[in-house]
Amino acid sequence: QVELVESGGGLVQAGGSLRLSCAASRRTVSTYAMGWFRQAPGKEREFVAAISWNGGSEKYEGSVKGRFTISRDNAKNTVYLQMNSLKPEDTAVYYCAADIDTDSAWKISRDGMDYWGKGTLVTVSS
């Protein structure tokens, strides 16, 4: 079992920045690909970013590319999402997830994730 706990969400003005953290416990996630997803009110949960087990490759959803950066610190069993130039349309609950079946960012998909955190709310005001 893997427990994932997100933090760092909050209210920010458009153009601002936030850094989300995802701390894993009970089991190391250092050999797994990890992902960030988000769910806006009334919408389905969607992919945001993924990172390979060693941080060697990253994948991003098109609308966040160039603004968001995913990273990880395996010594701390933690994954991060740096979000810059935030827009009101980035408002959502952000979830961290682990896929224990792959170490590749390119294989990450919403339906393939094995463990999910409870999410952290990001609200971007205009």
Side-chain angles (χ1 to χ4, degrees):
Q1 289 289 332
V2 176
E3 182 175 3
L4 302 172
V5 179
E6 302 94 337
S7 62
L11 174 64
V12 63
Q13 287 189 331
S17 298
L18 283 175
R19 188 193 195 202
L20 305 184
S21 297
C22 170
S25 62
R26 299 188 182 180
R27 189 172 170 180
T28 179
V29 294
S30 63
T31 60
Y32 307 149
M34 299 289 293
W36 285 97
F37 297 78
R38 66 186 179 186
Q39 188 166 16
K43 295 188 177 181
E44 290 190 351
R45 193 171 299 187
E46 65 176 3
F47 168 78
V48 175
I51 189 166
S52 63
W53 71 279
N54 62 352
S57 62
E58 302 162 19
K59 183 176 76 171
Y60 296 93
E61 187 271 330
S63 70
V64 309
K65 198 174 295 185
R67 299 188 298 122
F68 292 9
T69 302
I70 189 171
S71 62
R72 66 191 300 162
D73 184 338
N74 284 341
K76 296 182 177 179
N77 223 21
T78 301
V79 179
Y80 305 96
L81 186 68
Q82 177 67 43
M83 305 187 296
N84 299 329
S85 303
L86 282 161
K87 304 175 181 180
E89 51 263 44
D90 294 319
T91 295
V93 177
Y94 282 73
Y95 298 90
C96 172
D99 185 341
I100 67 173
D101 296 318
T102 184
D103 57 7
S104 171
W106 298 103
K107 295 182 180 179
I108 289 290
S109 67
R110 183 191 64 187
D111 295 338
M113 308 311 286
D114 297 291
Y115 296 101
W116 292 87
K118 294 183 178 180
T120 184
L121 177 62
V122 172
T123 304
V124 184
S125 64
S126 58

